[in-house]
Amino acid sequence: LENGKELFIKNCNICHKNKQNKILPEKNLKKEILELYGINKLESIKYQIRNGKNGMPAFGLRLNEKEIEKIAKYVLETNE
């Protein structure tokens, strides 16, 4: 989990600090919002990180699959 946190801070914190979303505030990383938009499973979060959507850039060319998975697990596990 710690490595996922470090990767999140390095790659995601600029827009998602404290589970927020600076670009689209209504689409933050809080559990109920992830559930509302169907991005509350490991695979769907990994897909979002890899491919991006709307204001979020794709990280599939910047991060490898292990890094993407660690970030996705961090997002899920810190939402409990």
Side-chain angles (χ1 to χ4, degrees):
L1 188 60
E2 190 61 36
N3 196 3
K5 180 180 180 180
E6 291 169 13
L7 288 165
F8 182 90
I9 290 169
K10 182 179 177 185
N11 294 282
C12 313
N13 230 28
I14 192 159
C15 291
H16 293 293
K17 188 174 184 176
N18 299 321
K19 303 281 185 193
Q20 299 303 310
N21 184 329
K22 288 184 180 178
I23 308 295
L24 298 167
E26 68 278 6
K27 292 189 175 183
N28 58 58
L29 299 181
K30 295 178 181 172
K31 184 177 183 176
E32 58 275 3
I33 299 300
L34 294 177
E35 288 174 356
L36 178 67
Y37 290 104
I39 309 173
N40 58 334
K41 304 284 186 233
L42 184 64
E43 287 306 315
S44 57
I45 295 172
K46 286 170 45 178
Y47 181 88
Q48 184 82 10
I49 295 168
R50 189 181 307 112
N51 299 295
K53 187 175 181 182
N54 299 325
M56 181 174 162
F59 285 85
L61 297 177
R62 296 184 219 178
L63 300 169
N64 64 44
E65 280 301 309
K66 279 188 174 184
E67 292 170 323
I68 289 170
E69 181 153 343
K70 287 177 182 179
I71 292 170
K73 284 183 178 178
Y74 172 76
V75 169
L76 276 179
E77 292 173 13
T78 57
N79 261 333
E80 295 302 318

